Each structure stands twice: as C-alpha cells, then as structure tokens.
Amino acid sequence: MSMAVSEGSLGGTQATPRGHGRHALAGKSPLPVSLVAFGASIGVLLVAAAYAAGRLGYSTPEWANRSYWLGQVLIVAPTASRLLGRRAPTTGEITILIGILTVSEYLVTVCYSPAAFTFADELEHWRSTVNVLQTGKLTSVNYMLPISPHYPGLEEVTSALVSITGLPIFTCGLIISGVAHLLFVYVLYIIFREVSNSYRIGGVAVLCYACNPHFASFDSMFLYQTLALPFLGLTLLAAWHLGSRQALGERVGWLSLAVLMAVATVVTHHVTSYVLVATLAVVSLVGLLTGNRTTAAWTAFLALLSAVAAIGWLVFAAPDTWTYLKPYADQTVQSFQLLFGGQGASAPSTSSGPLSDRLLAAAAVLTVSALLPVGWWRVWREYRRQPWPVTMAIMSASWYVIVAIRFAVADGSELAGRAATFSFVPTAYILALAVGYLAAAAVRRQARAVAVAVLLVVLIFMFDGLANGWPPYWERLPGSHQVAGAERSVGPEEIAAARWTLEALGPGNRFAADGGNSPVLGAYGDQDPILDVGFLYLSPTYSLSDLEQVQAQEIRYILVDQRLSQSLPASGQYFPIDPNAGRYRHPIPLPDLTKFNNVPGVARIYDDGNIVIYDLSGGGNAP
C-alpha cells in the first residue's frame, strides 16, 4: 500500500514532532550543509594534490598518503555526522548531502586519471566505442572483450553523445558514467526511503551503501555495469509503485517505465539483468508469503518479462555470453566448494594488503556482522507483513557468505568485490535500520558515548571500503611506471608501442604480452592479446615445446617489456593468467627476456629501449 514517508525518525517509521531532537551529535548546532559542501571540496582538492604528488614521482610519498586520507576524512566524516546527528536533517538537506558525497567521490576517481582511461575494463569499452564510431556498427569485433559488442548500451549512448557534441570519447564517457552513477544513487535513496517509510533511514542507507568497496571505483567507471545499474534501480522502483495502491493512469506510467528499464538492463549488461530477474522473483515469492498478492503478481509479471527478455537476448543476440561467463561461474563454484568443503585456500593470496588495512577490514566485518541481526529484528517487529523489507532482510544474509569467501578462499576478494555492488543494496538497508535503532536509543537516553560509537562504526565501515577497494594499496596514488600493475602500467611509452602495432601490423594480431601491456595493446593497438603466455618469458631458452604452444595458440608476435627484470609485479602476477601468482621472490632474469634476440627465424621489429616486439614467424626479416 502507499505510505506517507516520515521525515525525521531514525528509530522508527513515525515522523518526529517539530522541536524534538534539535541537538546535534555533540550537543551543539548541527553542521550547516554549506559547510559540509565546503569541507568536501577541500577534501577533493587534498586528494587531487596527493595524486599530483604521486605523478610527479616524489620518493617519499608519506605526506601525499596523509593528504589523501585527510581529504577522504573531509569528504566522508561531515556528511556521515550530519546524517547521523541527533537533529534530523530536512528532506532537502538529505538530498544535498547524498549529492555531495557521491559527486565528491566521483571527482576523486576522475582526478586519479584525468587525461585518459587507464583501468583495463575502461580501456576495453573505449575500444568498443572507437569501433562503433569508425565502422558505424554496434557489433564490431573487440578482441579484449568479445562480449562487449553484444551488450552495446554503453557504447551506443557514448558514441551518440560524441557524434552530437564533438567531444572526445573520454570526456563523453566521464559524463555518462558520472550521470549514471549519480542517478543510481538517487534511485537507491528513493527506494530505501519508500520501503522504510522514512527519509532519514533512506539517507543513512545510502551512506551505508557508500561503504561498498566499489562505490568509488567500479560503480562509477566507464563500464557497461555502471550504465545498467540505474536501469536496474528504476525497474525495482517501478515495481514497488506497481504494488502500491495507485490510480490506473499512474500504474500505466510505472508499468511502461518498468518494461522499458528492464529491457534496457538486458541489452546493457548481462549479470545486472540476471540480478534483476532474481530480485523480482524473490520479492514475488515473499509477497505471496506475506499475503501481499498485488506485489506478488506485479513482481512475478516483471520477473517473467525480464527473464524472457534476457533469455531471448542471450539466444538470438549474445549466444557467446555463457562462454564468456563460464570461467567466472567455475571460479564461483570452486570458491563455494573450497569454503563449504573445508579444504581451505588452494593458493596463497596475492593481495593480502598491509596489516592496517587487514585490521580495518576485520573491524568492519565484525561490526557489520553484529549489526545485521539488529536490523533483522526491526524488520520482524515492524515490517514483517511488507514484502520489500522482508526481501531485503533475506538477501542481506548473502553478506556472511561473501565475507567468508573474501577471507577463507584464495583471492576471494575479487569475487567478493564483484558481488558487493549488488549485495550491499539489501545489506545497506538492514544496516540503516540497525544504526537508526541504536542512534534513536542514544537520543532517548541522552547517551552521547553511544551516539559517537555509532558514528565511529559507520566511519570504520566506510574507510574499510576505501582502504580495501580499488585502487589497491599498491597503487593508491598514481606514480611512475609499475611492473605488471594496472593503471600505473599505462603510460605514453606503452601507448606509443600499441599504436605502432596498429599502424605497422594492422589490427587483430595474436600477441603475447605481460599483464601491464596487454590491456594497452588491446585498446590502443586493437590487437588480440593472449592471456596464458608465461611460458614464453620464464625460461632462458626458446624450446621446441614453447614453439609448439605458440603454434597451438596461433601467437604471431610477442611484446617483451624488459622492466619485468627490474622489479616484482605489484599485483603479485606478471601475466593475466599466471600459475605462479603470489610465488615470485625475484624479478624475471633479463636473459629470459632477451633470449629472442638470438633465436633463428625470430625478428625484432620494434625496440624503444624498454619495450621490444618480436615477430615469432620472422615476417621475412628474420636473421
């Protein structure tokens, strides 16, 4: 049914009377929103200064690290304290505070690489967009991400904006990603607000969702999931309204929006569309169990519609989706087998991180794990007849599974991080109910220590997301070239070599390259990098067995970055698929990298001092 949304309450669903709880967390007047915005702007400036220091190559970046964290404190802490303060913000203030937090963190992401895309996934979609603009077709081949042309929503919107405005792809990509991210956050706020019947609980739930380790990275990058997320949110919002008592004309409007957004989700991102189907199905089932037949009927209809659209798209437009997703599905199954089979990790983790980050992660996990049952108790006491809160409670249980995988399975942090974007939606709502209950109890009992503790808990959770999210600790600040890293392996030298391959060799050549150069080759060079190529780099000779593997994989060229002999890989692995990940104790010996200079039938066709490219077939120029 339709509910009037209360504005002031943290502890319950009833509106706070005027004049109640007018004191701030510390007993003084609350921070003005204008001062919060000013602090956030200074925070962004401090983070940008830290990034600039890293790019300038300062040998002792301690002050830059402090500047980064001070900037994050100025962005996060004032917003959190205002939302959790004893005096309730107005609805307008909550809306502004959400915008301040979201936009500030997005600007931090932009400042990390303000001139071009450097993250591998963004480079993949940049390549797809270039192909669309050059060929006029949505289905042009993308060697790095072959599935991308089959889900062309992001590339279609970006290429259209480029064509209309004449702006570069990078600029248009930032605009689209930023707008999509902000729209998704505000849609989440509306959903949380409507489901909880409280503006303030909605705001706190968004604050908790911002603790997601991907909030300031993957959720706002130039990726097809970034654009699909607001489509997912709008579909769920429309489904909620269809289950409430509304006039026929309003239901027609919401139904039209739901259908349009569901289809847009399907054609933009595969996994997001599957999450949409699963969520609607769970809401429908819970609607039946709670006796809300209207919600059950509408969500069942939308789940069926979304499932038909997803299956139809999979069969007729994107039949290679399963082939693309199968390795990830296998990894997920293996993680669950290791987790529940009691066998432990199969390999050492490559990204355990410094002790401070691990302690922060442990503290966040313990506090959230303890708070979720408090939120469930509130759902049972106040919302057990309402399908949407009950659904949130059920789906938030996935938090414990994801945490177990994150800590108990080798490199489980990647799988946990990928799932965080979706699992944090119900988790954030349940956390907001728990935090609201504790904060309201502190206000009733005038327990300032409890109120401060609640704020500290939320801040710990948020800084865990920043410390253990992306960029990882080993490239938190931009800087000089980093061997087999991620963004810090993308620079002018790598880009120049990749562009030379496109001009001199043409597109689509099968290349061997390390993990740092591989994304650049695929994007700027439009080449076809092979993932499992460590055998070519890790021995002092080019053996007959190596030649047979080269022929089997149809590898024509190999890019050798001689800097691989100068340091260990920051990420723990030199190559995209690396059986020795996490086991390297010394850099690759230089003779292992230069051996191709003396192999008959192999021609050195490019050499800039660090990066050397060989034609393994000789190309008619072999000595």
Side-chain angles (χ1 to χ4, degrees):
M1 66 180 64
S2 178
M3 297 182 291
V5 180
S6 66
E7 299 187 22
S9 176
L10 257 177
T13 59
Q14 300 301 317
T16 302
R18 291 187 181 275
H20 174 76
R22 290 297 184 182
H23 299 289
L25 189 63
K28 300 178 181 180
S29 299
L31 283 174
V33 172
S34 58
L35 187 58
V36 175
F38 177 74
S41 64
I42 298 299
V44 173
L45 183 62
L46 287 173
V47 174
Y51 288 165
R55 276 189 289 270
L56 291 174
Y58 282 89
S59 58
T60 55
E62 287 304 318
W63 73 268
N65 277 317
R66 295 191 187 102
S67 176
Y68 170 84
W69 286 114
L70 177 59
Q72 288 290 2
V73 168
L74 290 175
I75 293 171
V76 170
T79 301
S81 63
R82 187 66 186 93
L83 283 171
L84 294 170
R86 294 171 66 181
R87 176 183 174 181
T90 66
T91 58
E93 287 175 334
I94 292 175
T95 303
I96 295 172
L97 289 169
I98 291 172
I100 291 172
L101 178 63
T102 305
V103 172
S104 297
E105 291 294 354
Y106 180 69
L107 291 176
V108 165
T109 302
V110 173
C111 289
Y112 189 92
S113 180
F117 295 124
T118 53
F119 182 59
D121 292 35
E122 291 182 302
L123 289 173
E124 292 169 351
H125 291 287
W126 178 87
R127 181 72 253 173
S128 287
T129 307
V130 170
N131 292 343
V132 171
L133 291 168
Q134 289 180 345
T135 66
K137 299 178 181 179
L138 295 175
T139 56
S140 300
V141 176
N142 184 323
Y143 298 103
M144 278 203 308
L145 188 63
I147 199 63
S148 173
H150 301 291
Y151 293 88
L154 178 65
E155 288 77 11
E156 185 174 11
V157 173
T158 307
S159 59
L161 185 59
V162 170
S163 299
I164 293 172
T165 63
L167 294 172
I169 295 175
F170 175 67
T171 304
C172 292
L174 291 182
I175 293 171
I176 291 170
S177 300
V179 171
H181 181 53
L182 185 61
L183 175 59
F184 176 58
V185 172
Y186 273 123
V187 170
L188 276 186
Y189 166 62
I190 295 171
I191 292 174
F192 291 145
R193 184 192 69 189
E194 299 294 338
V195 171
S196 65
N197 193 31
S198 169
Y199 287 97
R200 202 174 182 197
I201 289 293
V204 174
V206 169
L207 182 67
C208 292
Y209 184 79
C211 302
N212 163 18
H214 283 178
F215 179 81
S217 55
F218 289 91
D219 292 354
S220 61
M221 287 181 170
F222 184 62
L223 313 175
Y224 49 2
Q225 178 178 287
T226 300
L227 183 60
L229 287 174
F231 298 152
L232 165 73
L234 287 168
T235 306
L236 295 178
L237 178 62
W240 187 91
H241 279 282
L242 286 170
S244 62
R245 294 178 181 177
Q246 299 205 5
L248 178 60
E250 292 177 329
R251 278 189 170 170
V252 170
W254 286 114
L255 177 60
S256 300
L257 178 65
V259 172
L260 180 62
M261 292 297 100
V263 173
T265 305
V266 167
V267 303
T268 302
H269 188 231
H270 34 73
V271 172
T272 306
S273 66
Y274 306 150
V275 171
L276 173 62
V277 173
T279 303
L280 290 170
V282 173
V283 175
S284 177
L285 179 60
V286 173
L288 287 176
L289 296 176
T290 56
N292 195 317
R293 296 182 178 179
T294 303
T295 295
W298 279 112
T299 51
F301 169 74
L302 290 176
L304 180 61
L305 174 71
S306 301
V308 170
I311 293 172
W313 190 262
L314 180 68
V315 172
F316 297 106
D320 295 332
T321 302
W322 172 243
T323 302
Y324 169 73
L325 293 177
K326 187 177 184 301
Y328 301 99
D330 292 342
Q331 180 186 3
T332 303
V333 172
Q334 183 182 18
S335 296
F336 278 100
Q337 289 175 342
L338 291 171
L339 179 63
F340 296 109
Q343 300 175 20
S346 60
S349 174
T350 62
S351 57
S352 57
L355 178 61
S356 58
D357 290 359
R358 284 180 281 158
L359 291 176
L360 187 61
V365 166
L366 289 175
T367 53
V368 173
S369 299
L371 284 174
L372 283 178
V374 178
W376 294 340
W377 171 74
R378 281 200 63 188
V379 170
W380 173 256
R381 192 184 70 172
E382 302 174 26
Y383 302 100
R384 63 177 177 268
R385 294 297 179 185
Q386 300 178 28
W388 286 87
V390 174
T391 299
M392 297 276 198
I394 293 172
M395 299 185 75
S396 67
S398 62
W399 158 265
Y400 296 98
V401 178
I402 290 173
V403 166
I405 291 175
R406 175 182 174 183
F407 287 100
V409 178
D411 293 329
S413 57
E414 180 179 357
L415 176 60
R418 295 283 183 176
T421 296
F422 304 105
S423 67
F424 261 65
V425 174
T427 299
Y429 173 78
I430 300 301
L431 279 179
L433 293 180
V435 168
Y437 173 78
L438 296 176
V443 170
R444 289 193 301 268
R445 300 175 184 178
Q446 297 296 310
R448 293 182 181 177
V450 176
V452 172
V454 170
L455 175 60
L456 289 178
V457 164
V458 174
L459 290 177
I460 287 172
F461 195 28
M462 294 197 73
F463 281 101
D464 169 54
L466 292 170
N468 295 294
W470 194 271
Y473 70 93
W474 39 267
E475 64 165 23
R476 185 164 291 142
L477 300 181
S480 58
H481 179 270
Q482 198 157 241
V483 168
E487 285 92 338
R488 283 180 59 176
S489 289
V490 180
E493 190 172 2
E494 294 78 19
I495 293 173
R499 284 177 167 163
W500 178 87
T501 64
L502 181 58
E503 296 173 1
L505 308 177
N509 297 288
R510 292 175 70 82
F511 255 89
D514 63 271
N517 282 281
S518 182
V520 188
L521 264 180
Y524 288 96
D526 199 15
Q527 305 301 332
D528 186 5
I530 310 303
L531 302 180
D532 187 8
V533 294
F535 66 94
L536 285 172
Y537 297 82
L538 301 177
S539 64
T541 61
Y542 182 50
S543 65
L544 178 60
S545 174
D546 294 338
L547 176 60
E548 291 174 349
Q549 292 188 65
V550 165
Q551 293 174 343
Q553 298 189 62
E554 299 179 345
I555 300 174
R556 174 71 185 272
Y557 302 98
I558 178 172
L559 183 150
V560 177
D561 192 332
Q562 297 185 14
R563 290 168 293 185
L564 270 61
S565 66
Q566 298 174 8
S567 63
L568 290 169
S571 60
Q573 59 189 75
Y574 280 108
F575 311 103
I577 296 179
D578 195 338
N580 297 318
R583 297 189 178 96
Y584 293 103
R585 297 295 176 265
H586 305 282
I588 299 175
L590 184 60
D592 291 9
L593 302 176
T594 59
K595 61 178 178 281
F596 297 100
N597 290 326
N598 304 313
V599 176
V602 173
R604 185 173 61 204
I605 59 176
Y606 180 92
D607 188 343
D608 73 357
N610 286 321
I611 297 176
V612 183
I613 298 176
Y614 299 93
D615 184 343
L616 296 180
S617 68
N621 298 311

